[in-house]
Amino acid sequence: YQTPSIMQIFSILVLLLPSISAFVPSNIARSPTSVALFSAATIAEAKADLKTNPKTFFMDVRELSEWAEGHFAGAAPYPLSRLTSGKWMNPKDGVFSTGSFPIDNATGVAILPKKRIYIHSQKGGRAKQAGDLFITMGYKNIVVFEETFEELAAAGISEVVVGEMRPGQAYVRDDAKF
């Protein structure tokens, strides 16, 4: 048995790579820079924007059980499991994709794509997934916090409160809690 040379291995990989990439979903190949990431230095700017601009949205994409254990008073619960459970159609190409548009609880309709949406999760991973989903849906002004829940709380992004939502209760933003 003769071991293959480096050149032979390279040639095989070059031939197989296009076949392998055909099985990768197109939304995974998206550029990760499409979602703005706020660093710790700009949390103060986000806090000011959330406090002074009632047209911004602050989303907590953790599950409702996590939200009940402690959440930011200014953040509305939008569990990632709920955001990724539906189907939506891209009006540009008619293709259906997994996901649900975020609903503005004040109006009962989808949040407009031009609105600024701040997203956080426990460690940042689910927030990034939600941000990528919204970018795919056509939202242009998404801010994903890469900081953990504890880091955002320590930075004073909003008051932390404990409690769960009652069935049928609609979330109402309280700007005084920012």
Side-chain angles (χ1 to χ4, degrees), residues 9 67 102 175:
I9 293 171
W67 193 81
D175 289 342

Side-chain angles (χ1 to χ4, degrees), residues 30-93:
R30 292 179 41 76
S31 168
T33 58
S34 62
V35 177
L37 296 176
F38 264 43
S39 66
T42 60
I43 291 175
E45 293 172 13
K47 182 178 177 180
D49 189 27
L50 287 163
K51 187 173 188 131
T52 59
N53 186 353
K55 298 296 182 184
T56 58
F57 294 89
F58 189 20
M59 292 184 178
D60 183 336
V61 295
R62 300 174 304 150
E63 293 304 311
L64 292 177
S65 59
E66 295 171 281
W67 193 81
E69 292 173 6
H71 58 275
F72 297 118
Y78 287 87
L80 183 63
S81 62
R82 186 176 80 193
L83 292 171
T84 57
S85 66
K87 290 277 187 196
W88 67 281
M89 185 184 78
N90 186 332
K92 293 179 183 174
D93 57 18

Side-chain angles (χ1 to χ4, degrees), residues 4-172:
S5 70
I6 299 287
M7 190 55 102
Q8 289 172 324
I9 293 171
F10 179 76
S11 298
I12 291 170
L13 287 175
V14 167
L15 291 172
L16 289 176
L17 193 57
S19 301
I20 293 169
S21 66
F23 294 101
V24 176
S26 61
N27 63 343
I28 290 178
R30 292 179 41 76
S31 168
T33 58
S34 62
V35 177
L37 296 176
F38 264 43
S39 66
T42 60
I43 291 175
E45 293 172 13
K47 182 178 177 180
D49 189 27
L50 287 163
K51 187 173 188 131
T52 59
N53 186 353
K55 298 296 182 184
T56 58
F57 294 89
F58 189 20
M59 292 184 178
D60 183 336
V61 295
R62 300 174 304 150
E63 293 304 311
L64 292 177
S65 59
E66 295 171 281
W67 193 81
E69 292 173 6
H71 58 275
F72 297 118
Y78 287 87
L80 183 63
S81 62
R82 186 176 80 193
L83 292 171
T84 57
S85 66
K87 290 277 187 196
W88 67 281
M89 185 184 78
N90 186 332
K92 293 179 183 174
D93 57 18
V95 174
F96 285 89
S97 299
T98 300
S100 298
F101 285 98
I103 302 299
D104 179 348
N105 291 316
T107 64
V109 297
I111 296 172
L112 296 174
K114 64 184 177 182
K115 300 293 184 184
R116 177 168 283 187
I117 302 174
Y118 292 92
I119 308 170
H120 87 88
S121 60
Q122 188 67 31
K123 296 182 180 176
R126 287 176 282 182
K128 171 78 170 75
Q129 289 177 344
D132 284 340
L133 173 65
F134 294 155
I135 292 293
T136 302
M137 291 177 157
Y139 288 83
K140 306 270 189 260
N141 206 351
I142 303 296
V143 179
V144 173
F145 288 111
E146 56 187 1
E147 292 82 7
T148 67
F149 180 85
E150 289 78 19
E151 290 169 336
L152 290 171
I157 191 79
S158 178
E159 178 183 329
V160 176
V161 294
V162 176
E164 58 188 36
M165 292 182 66
R166 295 181 303 278
Q169 174 187 9
Y171 172 81
V172 178

